Amino acid sequence: MMEKNKQILVLGLDGAGKTSVLHSLALNRVQHSEAPTQGFNAVCINTEGSQMEFLEIGGSEPFRSYWDMYLSKGLLLIFVVDSADHGRLPEAKKHLHQLIETNPIIPLVVFANKQDLGAAYHITDIHEALALSEVGNDRKMFLFGTQVTENGSEIPSAMQDAKDLIAHLAADMQ
Ligand SMILES: Nc1nc2c(ncn2[C@@H]2O[C@H](COP(=O)(O)OP(=O)(O)OP(=O)(O)O)[C@@H](O)[C@H]2O)c(=O)[nH]1
Ligand SMILES: [Mg+2]
């Protein structure tokens, strides 16, 4: 019998772009989300030879209490932030650190999203704002600058790179 795949968790504050990124990764085409996620959003992505199961949990207040519960069962954590929402970066940082505290080994992939916006912080500033140097020495951690631009266009190469990396990490963790 095949073992059930563990899920790749996609978390981050409401409006960060989790659904948009996830659907774009699935289609290899840019696809903006139409509405906030009310609860859970499960997406399956096939890559050469493997199938990955992603689980987004909505980022607005009522759904955040579920984040912790799923983290212990997750294979990887993808944390998405809105790089242009400077005011909420401290809140994003707080939640990220609370989350990873409960799981010292889960690999972390951070998407510094909305890099297309003029106000977006560069990834080096996001690294600093989220205190990513403090995520733990034994943890694999990666940071990508991402952007979800015009619907239907090809996904940027950084997103393709992130997808390839996630597939490798997931295969290593199974
Ligand atoms: N300019 C720009 N807008 C983006 C980008 N990514 C997402 N958006 C927009 O940001 C808004 C929120 O995107 P979602 O993907 O719904 O965000 P989410 O993180 O899934 O939000 P919740 O499901 O509520 O937790 C939508 O209007 C998207 O079209 C991006 O890279 N650049
Ligand atoms: Mg969503």
Side-chain angles (χ1 to χ4, degrees):
M1 200 172 83
M2 250 176 56
E3 238 183 80
K4 193 184 178 313
N5 284 341
K6 277 185 140 189
Q7 283 157 328
I8 298 167
L9 291 175
V10 184
L11 304 178
L13 300 183
D14 49 296
K18 298 178 295 296
T19 303
S20 304
V21 165
L22 201 46
H23 289 170
S24 303
L25 289 178
L27 293 165
N28 282 325
R29 291 271 156 196
V30 169
Q31 174 74 61
H32 281 267
S33 116
E34 305 269 310
T37 305
Q38 306 295 338
F40 299 84
N41 173 31
V43 175
C44 238
I45 299 183
N46 290 305
T47 52
E48 313 103 57
S50 71
Q51 190 184 52
M52 300 187 280
E53 283 176 31
F54 291 79
L55 183 69
E56 174 199 356
I57 308 178
S60 45
E61 212 88 55
F63 309 118
R64 290 185 200 162
S65 52
Y66 295 100
W67 290 6
D68 267 350
M69 243 184 265
Y70 282 82
L71 196 79
S72 58
K73 294 180 273 181
L75 190 62
L76 300 176
L77 172 61
I78 298 177
F79 196 81
V80 184
V81 295
D82 177 342
S83 307
D85 192 356
H86 305 171
R88 289 211 300 167
L89 281 170
E91 193 185 359
K93 172 195 167 186
K94 185 191 83 181
H95 284 292
L96 172 63
H97 285 264
Q98 276 173 0
L99 274 169
I100 58 177
E101 213 167 70
T102 67
N103 186 332
I105 57 155
I106 191 169
L108 171 65
V109 182
V110 177
F111 282 6
N113 194 40
K114 305 200 186 183
Q115 286 293 315
D116 58 300
L117 298 179
Y121 274 151
H122 188 264
I123 53 171
T124 52
D125 301 317
I126 296 292
H127 192 279
E128 170 112 37
L130 297 179
L132 293 180
S133 56
E134 295 164 23
V135 299
N137 294 327
D138 296 333
R139 189 192 310 278
K140 288 183 184 153
M141 194 281 291
F142 304 87
L143 171 61
F144 291 91
T146 60
Q147 59 190 64
V148 179
T149 50
E150 203 180 319
N151 272 346
S153 58
E154 231 176 282
I155 57 171
S157 61
M159 275 170 73
Q160 187 58 57
D161 292 345
K163 185 173 169 177
D164 294 342
L165 173 93
I166 290 162
H168 279 114
L169 286 173
D172 282 351
M173 295 292 290
Q174 291 285 359

